[in-house]
Amino acid sequence: MKLSWKVVAFMLFLFHSTNHISLAQQQGNDEADDEAEKQPTIPKGQEHCKGIFIWYNFISRTKEFPRLKNTIAQSWAFKSRVTILNMGTSELQAWKIFIGFQYKEILVSAKGAVLTSGVDFPAPVGNGTYLSGYPQTDLETSIDTANELDKIQVKVELRGTQFGLKPPGNPMPKTIKLANNGYKCPSPTRRKASMYVCCVKDPKLQANKTTKTKFLPRQKGDLLISYDVSQAYKNNYLAQVTIENRHPLGRLDHWNLTWEWMRGEFINSLKGAYVRKVDISGCLNGKVGEYYGDMDFSKVLNCEKKPILFDLPPEKADDAQMGKIPFCCRNGTLLPETMDSTKSKSAFVIEVFKIPPDLNRTTIYPPQKWKIVGDLNPDYRCGAPIRVEPAQSPDPTGVEAVKYAIASWQIVCNISRPTKGNSRCCVTFSAYYNKSAIPCDTCACGCEDTAKCNPNKPAMLLPPEALLVPFENRSVKAKAWAQIQHFKVPKPLPCGDNCGVSINWHVSSDYKQGWAARLTLFNWKSINFQNWFTAVQFKKAGSGYERMFSFNATLLKELNNTIFIQGIEGMNYLIGKKNGSDPENDPDVPGKQQSVITFKKSGKTWPDIAKGDGFPTKVLFNGEECALPSRIPVSTGIRFSFSLSLLFLCKFVSFLLIQRLN
């Protein structure tokens, strides 16, 4: 049977149309699948979160070596994931979260984040830790990005070690929450191997709408570091680093600044500062060597992943190649504004080279894990860099115009109070009413060698003159004094304090209208302290400060009646110790300065000097908080009255016994 040409044409048309429709449907299904993949995965019932959704998922763990029978001591390698999703209507800038770890965890890595404290991995986080985003620091909104998942969500892959929880239990943290200001988080919802929370904006802490800007405002802190990019090219840029001391009692001497390059950058040149190591070995191989194959690396300054930078001496300030930067070249000294506001800032300019894939003028990532230390200064803990409004400076032409930086980041550092055994200075107490001086506590500044001494025994009481000699020369005096005063002598003897600076506070007199004390500084280090300062606080007696004789002193009422003390002209140089010719017969002599301070007794809080009100409750030297003794001198008058009471009681009991026998 023959088919007409019309029938054949119709069948061909029908086949073509059906095939076209099926292809269109398949394409539509593929697009639908792609759209489904772009949708974030969140727990059921949480789709209505109107803020920042945080989801912690425990993935797995395996037993580590060595294998132990003791469950508490056994270590486990764990993996988990934290998802942070912006489900609100406001961009989240410089996100930061807190994870309340509780099983002695040691965090080994965090892909997609860095530790906000700036410490390196592996890091102990058993008491909880803060994580900041890197390289994705901001989370945009679904509205502004048409639900582009890579811009509104970040996933942080965590790897670490935990202790003390055997299967089938899952080592879940106590809590998770958003740590950014202006948000409040309820208690997280817990599941067997996950927990999640929706953090929303706190209406009581709403930011001032009149100052709303594209970037975060500059933050407050004890020490502020600005990283301001002034010039940018395809493969390199110039940035000015400015360090400002904002704490009224903070300080840095001979500062050393370090950070970590995260994307293969290296330092080509510096002005206003220098590197501890001129090292180009890191540039000769790897990606840097491949991309800059024809570059003369002999002129490059530093290729270390973690360079250490330091300030230049004053004589380099006008050097055309190394200096000529405002606020540079001060030998690493940053004084508090309460002491000298003109010396509270330091700055230098750095030229940074980049490598692929960051070859773009606008692709700039600041270094991470910032840390700054001084000779004998406070312990500063620095956070992650935060993108802030570009820095402003006067136009170099001299006309009335303002020049903006291309991009600016701020690193906020705050002083951390030293923990027990981690101080670098200590205090001794003595008084006119007690023959013994109380030395610094045992291991006040740490103990490395405890083979021949006891780190757990309290320091032995001393005759006051023993404070003038090094600890290793005090043993004979301490034993002899214990024999005279009938004190027990521990075996082995307590370890020393191991502090570089000690401060003796001696209550010298107490009378009806006031009282007086003597302050003595001892420098047991080999370095000199120029323009030193110390500060003391009291519970009751500070407001009665009257006069200091050989030092300059100022009562800072706004700082809990802190007395700020510094040397007068000609006495502001605390020299280092002088080495003796014979350690046994001619010991080292510490650098020493001394002055008398007087107080008035007035006001409602009348200090009782005999009961300890004459001793400070906080002492600082060059910003570092010094370790205080764990005891204070006891008044012999108090001790004598106690003895009379005890004697009367004994006589009374004896009288009763005699009466009973009769």
Side-chain angles (χ1 to χ4, degrees), residues 434-437 460-466 474-489:
N434 195 303
K435 295 179 180 180
S436 298
M460 296 178 63
L461 299 179
L462 299 171
E465 66 271 13
R474 295 179 186 172
S475 298
V476 175
K477 292 180 179 292
K479 290 179 181 178
W481 188 251
Q483 186 176 2
I484 294 172
Q485 300 297 325
H486 305 290
F487 298 147
K488 290 183 179 180
V489 179

Side-chain angles (χ1 to χ4, degrees), residues 134 235 260-267 282-283 285-289 291-292 297 302-305 352-358 365 367:
Y134 183 84
N235 65 337
E260 182 174 341
W261 295 115
M262 307 296 283
R263 304 180 72 85
E265 301 96 333
F266 61 92
I267 301 173
C283 289
N285 301 307
K287 292 183 179 180
V288 175
Y291 182 75
Y292 294 100
F297 285 107
N302 185 277
C303 296
E304 291 181 299
K305 187 178 179 67
V352 181
F353 272 67
K354 305 181 293 181
I355 61 173
D358 299 335
Y365 294 93

